[in-house]
Amino acid sequence: MKTLLCDFCLKSGMLCAKCQAMVNSGAITSQYMEVGKFLLSLEKEYSLLQEVTLYNVFQEGGILVLVVGRGESEKLLGYGGRLTRAIGEKFGGRSVKVLEKGLSSRRFLEELFSNMTILTINTIWLPDGTTETKVVLREKRAQRPSPKRIKAMTQIAKKVGGINLRIEFV
Ligand SMILES: [Zn+2]
Protein backbone atom coordinates (compact mmCIF):
# COMPACT_ATOMS: atom_id res chain seq x y z
CA MET A 1 0.00 0.00 0.00
CA LYS A 2 1.16 3.46 -0.80
CA THR A 3 0.70 6.31 1.63
CA LEU A 4 1.82 9.92 1.61
CA LEU A 5 4.62 8.97 4.00
CA CYS A 6 7.68 6.78 3.46
CA ASP A 7 7.02 3.16 4.43
CA PHE A 8 9.90 3.24 6.85
CA CYS A 9 8.64 6.37 8.58
CA LEU A 10 5.13 5.00 8.84
CA LYS A 11 6.26 1.64 10.22
CA SER A 12 8.82 2.96 12.65
CA GLY A 13 7.09 6.16 13.68
CA MET A 14 10.48 7.89 13.42
CA LEU A 15 9.82 10.51 10.82
CA CYS A 16 12.29 11.91 8.31
CA ALA A 17 12.29 15.67 7.71
CA LYS A 18 9.90 15.43 4.75
CA CYS A 19 7.34 13.33 6.62
CA GLN A 20 7.66 15.42 9.76
CA ALA A 21 6.93 18.54 7.71
CA MET A 22 3.70 16.96 6.42
CA VAL A 23 2.65 16.12 9.96
CA ASN A 24 3.49 19.64 11.13
CA SER A 25 1.47 21.19 8.31
CA GLY A 26 -1.57 19.18 9.36
CA ALA A 27 -1.75 17.35 6.01
CA ILE A 28 -1.11 14.11 7.86
CA THR A 29 -3.02 13.36 11.04
CA SER A 30 -2.26 10.76 13.69
CA GLN A 31 -5.41 8.97 12.58
CA TYR A 32 -4.05 8.80 9.03
CA MET A 33 -0.85 7.26 10.38
CA GLU A 34 -2.67 4.73 12.53
CA VAL A 35 -4.94 3.61 9.71
CA GLY A 36 -2.05 3.58 7.21
CA LYS A 37 0.07 1.47 9.51
CA PHE A 38 -2.78 -0.95 10.12
CA LEU A 39 -3.41 -1.34 6.39
CA LEU A 40 0.28 -1.95 5.72
CA SER A 41 0.19 -4.75 8.27
CA LEU A 42 -2.72 -6.34 6.38
CA GLU A 43 -1.03 -6.34 2.97
CA LYS A 44 -0.01 -10.00 3.20
CA GLU A 45 -3.55 -11.12 3.92
CA TYR A 46 -5.21 -8.67 1.51
CA SER A 47 -2.73 -8.44 -1.36
CA LEU A 48 -4.86 -6.01 -3.42
CA LEU A 49 -3.90 -3.38 -0.86
CA GLN A 50 -0.49 -3.25 -2.55
CA GLU A 51 -2.14 -1.39 -5.41
CA VAL A 52 -3.94 1.17 -3.25
CA THR A 53 -2.81 4.72 -2.45
CA LEU A 54 -4.21 6.18 0.74
CA TYR A 55 -4.66 9.94 0.37
CA ASN A 56 -6.70 10.92 3.37
CA VAL A 57 -8.30 9.53 6.50
CA PHE A 58 -10.74 11.40 8.71
CA GLN A 59 -13.68 10.79 10.92
CA GLU A 60 -17.08 12.37 10.54
CA GLY A 61 -20.02 11.63 12.80
CA GLY A 62 -18.95 8.07 13.58
CA ILE A 63 -17.99 7.30 9.99
CA LEU A 64 -14.34 6.60 9.26
CA VAL A 65 -13.61 7.93 5.76
CA LEU A 66 -10.73 6.60 3.67
CA VAL A 67 -9.87 8.46 0.48
CA VAL A 68 -8.04 6.33 -2.08
CA GLY A 69 -6.94 6.73 -5.69
CA ARG A 70 -9.22 6.55 -8.66
CA GLY A 71 -10.47 3.05 -9.43
CA GLU A 72 -9.06 1.68 -6.19
CA SER A 73 -12.04 1.43 -3.87
CA GLU A 74 -12.90 -2.03 -5.25
CA LYS A 75 -9.55 -3.25 -3.96
CA LEU A 76 -10.68 -2.54 -0.42
CA LEU A 77 -14.32 -3.46 -0.85
CA GLY A 78 -13.71 -6.54 -2.96
CA TYR A 79 -13.23 -8.93 -0.06
CA GLY A 80 -16.93 -9.27 0.66
CA GLY A 81 -16.65 -6.41 3.15
CA ARG A 82 -14.17 -8.36 5.29
CA LEU A 83 -11.41 -5.81 5.00
CA THR A 84 -13.55 -2.75 5.74
CA ARG A 85 -15.11 -4.60 8.68
CA ALA A 86 -11.65 -5.35 10.04
CA ILE A 87 -10.74 -1.65 9.74
CA GLY A 88 -13.96 -0.56 11.45
CA GLU A 89 -13.46 -3.03 14.31
CA LYS A 90 -9.86 -1.98 14.82
CA PHE A 91 -10.91 1.66 15.09
CA GLY A 92 -13.66 1.57 17.65
CA GLY A 93 -16.43 -0.20 15.74
CA ARG A 94 -17.02 2.65 13.31
CA SER A 95 -18.59 2.25 9.94
CA VAL A 96 -16.06 2.69 7.16
CA LYS A 97 -16.63 4.60 3.94
CA VAL A 98 -14.13 4.26 1.10
CA LEU A 99 -14.19 7.09 -1.45
CA GLU A 100 -12.10 7.73 -4.54
CA LYS A 101 -10.24 10.88 -5.34
CA GLY A 102 -10.89 12.80 -8.56
CA LEU A 103 -14.33 11.51 -9.54
CA SER A 104 -17.00 13.58 -11.27
CA SER A 105 -19.64 14.96 -8.89
CA ARG A 106 -22.17 12.42 -10.05
CA ARG A 107 -19.87 9.41 -9.62
CA PHE A 108 -18.73 10.74 -6.29
CA LEU A 109 -22.32 11.03 -5.02
CA GLU A 110 -23.15 7.57 -6.32
CA GLU A 111 -20.28 6.23 -4.24
CA LEU A 112 -21.18 8.29 -1.21
CA PHE A 113 -24.75 7.01 -1.30
CA SER A 114 -23.89 3.55 -2.58
CA ASN A 115 -26.31 1.89 -0.17
CA MET A 116 -29.20 4.18 -1.12
CA THR A 117 -31.14 4.98 -4.27
CA ILE A 118 -30.46 8.36 -5.84
CA LEU A 119 -33.50 9.69 -7.71
CA THR A 120 -32.18 13.03 -8.93
CA ILE A 121 -29.14 15.24 -8.65
CA ASN A 122 -29.56 18.96 -9.36
CA THR A 123 -27.19 21.88 -9.19
CA ILE A 124 -28.69 25.03 -7.74
CA TRP A 125 -27.07 28.42 -8.26
CA LEU A 126 -27.23 30.60 -5.18
CA PRO A 127 -27.45 34.41 -5.31
CA ASP A 128 -23.83 34.73 -4.15
CA GLY A 129 -22.60 32.80 -7.20
CA THR A 130 -21.83 29.56 -5.37
CA THR A 131 -23.61 26.33 -6.10
CA GLU A 132 -25.44 23.80 -4.04
CA THR A 133 -26.07 20.26 -5.13
CA LYS A 134 -29.46 18.86 -4.26
CA VAL A 135 -29.68 15.10 -4.06
CA VAL A 136 -33.04 13.43 -3.76
CA LEU A 137 -32.88 9.98 -2.23
CA ARG A 138 -35.52 7.31 -1.99
CA GLU A 139 -36.44 6.52 1.53
CA LYS A 140 -36.06 2.82 2.16
CA ARG A 141 -38.83 1.15 4.15
CA ALA A 142 -39.72 4.57 5.54
CA GLN A 143 -36.37 4.58 7.31
CA ARG A 144 -34.29 7.59 6.65
CA PRO A 145 -30.81 7.96 8.12
CA SER A 146 -30.56 9.87 11.40
CA PRO A 147 -30.00 13.65 11.26
CA LYS A 148 -26.51 12.98 12.60
CA ARG A 149 -25.77 10.65 9.69
CA ILE A 150 -27.18 13.09 7.15
CA LYS A 151 -25.02 15.84 8.60
CA ALA A 152 -21.98 13.55 8.40
CA MET A 153 -22.71 12.77 4.72
CA THR A 154 -22.98 16.50 4.00
CA GLN A 155 -19.63 17.16 5.67
CA ILE A 156 -17.96 14.30 3.81
CA ALA A 157 -19.26 15.61 0.46
CA LYS A 158 -17.79 19.00 1.30
CA LYS A 159 -14.42 17.67 2.45
CA VAL A 160 -13.78 15.06 -0.23
CA GLY A 161 -15.83 16.20 -3.22
CA GLY A 162 -15.90 19.96 -2.61
CA ILE A 163 -19.68 19.79 -2.92
CA ASN A 164 -22.22 21.85 -0.97
CA LEU A 165 -24.81 19.19 -0.51
CA ARG A 166 -28.48 19.37 0.31
CA ILE A 167 -30.16 16.03 0.91
CA GLU A 168 -33.86 15.42 0.50
CA PHE A 169 -35.95 12.28 0.74
CA VAL A 170 -39.12 11.23 -0.97
ZN1 LIG B 1 9.73 9.85 5.56
Side-chain angles (χ1 to χ4, degrees), residues 82-102:
R82 246 187 331 131
L83 176 53
T84 44
R85 259 200 310 283
I87 300 166
E89 278 164 19
K90 169 82 179 175
F91 295 95
R94 298 193 185 97
S95 60
V96 174
K97 190 85 205 166
V98 180
L99 293 168
E100 294 178 8
K101 212 175 136 83

Side-chain angles (χ1 to χ4, degrees), residues 127-170:
D128 64 0
T130 60
T131 59
E132 194 176 68
T133 302
K134 189 173 95 172
V135 176
V136 180
L137 299 162
R138 175 172 291 141
E139 205 167 306
K140 268 188 196 156
R141 288 174 245 106
Q143 277 200 332
R144 69 176 60 182
S146 67
K148 189 184 166 207
R149 183 125 186 140
I150 292 172
K151 186 165 175 254
M153 294 308 232
T154 310
Q155 302 280 25
I156 293 167
K158 179 85 188 154
K159 275 191 190 171
V160 183
I163 299 169
N164 294 313
L165 196 62
R166 192 204 296 180
I167 303 171
E168 289 180 9
F169 291 89
V170 291

Side-chain angles (χ1 to χ4, degrees), residues 4-10 14-20 22:
L4 302 177
L5 300 172
C6 321
D7 279 4
F8 177 80
C9 292
L10 186 60
M14 292 189 299
L15 303 180
C16 70
K18 189 174 145 268
C19 290
Q20 187 63 52
M22 278 200 276

Side-chain angles (χ1 to χ4, degrees), residues 8-132:
F8 177 80
C9 292
L10 186 60
K11 278 180 190 155
S12 69
M14 292 189 299
L15 303 180
C16 70
K18 189 174 145 268
C19 290
Q20 187 63 52
M22 278 200 276
V23 171
N24 293 349
S25 75
I28 300 283
T29 61
S30 57
Q31 193 164 45
Y32 178 94
M33 292 178 68
E34 283 168 31
V35 172
K37 204 168 164 179
F38 180 61
L39 291 179
L40 267 186
S41 75
L42 295 178
E43 262 190 354
K44 282 206 174 73
E45 197 181 338
Y46 300 94
S47 57
L48 286 174
L49 276 176
Q50 289 169 17
E51 299 159 32
V52 172
T53 303
L54 186 65
Y55 286 100
N56 196 5
V57 175
F58 64 93
Q59 196 192 313
E60 196 63 68
I63 304 170
L64 186 67
V65 181
L66 274 58
V67 182
V68 298
R70 192 145 183 197
E72 293 175 355
S73 64
E74 265 309 302
K75 299 181 202 300
L76 279 108
L77 303 170
Y79 292 96
R82 246 187 331 131
L83 176 53
T84 44
R85 259 200 310 283
I87 300 166
E89 278 164 19
K90 169 82 179 175
F91 295 95
R94 298 193 185 97
S95 60
V96 174
K97 190 85 205 166
V98 180
L99 293 168
E100 294 178 8
K101 212 175 136 83
L103 296 180
S104 69
S105 298
R106 171 166 283 274
R107 285 282 300 122
F108 173 79
L109 292 170
E110 282 168 1
E111 283 206 4
L112 184 62
F113 297 109
S114 57
N115 53 348
M116 295 182 224
T117 306
I118 297 178
L119 296 175
T120 59
I121 299 174
N122 281 308
T123 303
I124 301 160
W125 288 89
L126 301 177
D128 64 0
T130 60
T131 59
E132 194 176 68

